[in-house]
Amino acid sequence: MADLSFDALHRALKQGDVANVYYLVGPEDVLKDEAVRLILDRALDPSLRDFNFDQRTATSLDAETLESLLDTLPMLAERRVVLLRDVDGWQKKAKMRTALLKWLAKPGPETVLVMAQSAAEPESDKDFTSRAVTVRCDALPPARAAKWAQHEASQAGVTLVPEAAEHLVKAVGVELSVLRAEVAKLAALPEGT
């Protein structure tokens, strides 16, 4: 199936393209969370999200619960979204993994499944990449991280000029969770400082 960068996913979702199954991989968990938000925003009406969005940690499920979760029909909507975090925690022959692979062979059209691999796992699962749109959530290059910091700052009500964003990236690096924390500190300052 398709192999997309985070930016390519963003463009595809803007065009209205929502796949049945996404597999989020890579070291940047902040981008995985943003990818989930983008998918939710495109796939579900916000007023119906409480009824049609389930998120679970994969290792906390048994096979029957997983099958039920994937086969549940949407309520008052065309589709529902299921988010499974840490899918790399399953052993190769686990019953849950077998149940998931069976569902992935013929996914229900009313369910959008998002599988997120933990950042600690460097290798993507070939069984999942062959059956899902794989979204690579890799560390951003410095220039792209600076633009991300500017956007994050604007969301927090802070104006961050390009030079300041570049300096911030040089000072703390490109890890988005660290950049987000620094932007939050800037947002906490009194207005006008």
Side-chain angles (χ1 to χ4, degrees):
M1 298 221 45
D3 193 352
L4 304 175
S5 67
F6 174 81
D7 291 336
L9 170 70
H10 191 235
R11 286 189 298 274
L13 290 171
K14 274 187 171 180
Q15 294 173 356
D17 299 334
V18 178
N20 245 128
V21 183
Y22 292 97
Y23 178 39
L24 310 178
V25 298
E28 193 53 75
D29 284 335
V30 171
L31 287 182
K32 289 176 192 169
D33 290 341
E34 288 187 13
V36 168
R37 183 186 50 77
L38 291 170
I39 294 165
L40 282 172
D41 288 348
R42 178 53 71 184
L44 292 179
D45 180 327
S47 67
L48 299 173
R49 195 168 287 172
D50 289 343
F51 302 111
N52 294 303
F53 175 56
D54 281 299
Q55 64 177 319
R56 307 288 171 85
T57 302
T59 54
S60 70
L61 297 172
D62 59 46
E64 290 175 11
T65 305
L66 176 62
E67 289 170 353
S68 175
L69 192 63
L70 294 172
D71 292 334
T72 299
L73 295 173
M75 184 180 291
L76 304 170
E78 289 181 33
R79 57 187 163 214
R80 60 192 303 273
V81 176
V82 175
L83 170 60
L84 294 178
R85 294 189 182 275
D86 299 330
V87 292
D88 50 297
W90 284 333
Q91 297 298 319
K92 288 282 185 194
K93 296 185 180 184
K95 289 181 183 178
M96 289 73 64
R97 182 181 169 78
T98 303
L100 178 60
L101 291 174
K102 180 181 172 186
W103 186 87
L104 288 173
K106 191 174 180 186
E110 64 282 334
T111 300
V112 175
L113 174 62
V114 181
M115 301 179 294
Q117 181 171 296
S118 70
E121 181 59 42
E123 296 293 321
S124 56
D125 186 302
K126 290 181 178 139
D127 288 330
F128 296 158
T129 57
S130 66
R131 294 170 172 88
V133 173
T134 301
V135 180
R136 305 229 168 256
C137 299
D138 296 319
L140 298 177
R144 178 70 175 87
K147 288 185 182 202
W148 182 91
Q150 283 183 283
H151 176 73
E152 187 74 12
S154 71
Q155 297 294 95
V158 175
T159 302
L160 198 59
V161 297
E163 295 81 10
E166 290 169 13
H167 178 73
L168 182 62
V169 169
K170 284 179 186 175
V172 301
V174 296
E175 189 176 334
L176 300 185
S177 60
V178 175
L179 284 170
R180 178 175 277 161
E182 294 304 315
V183 167
K185 290 177 189 176
L186 292 171
L189 292 172
E191 192 172 329
T193 55

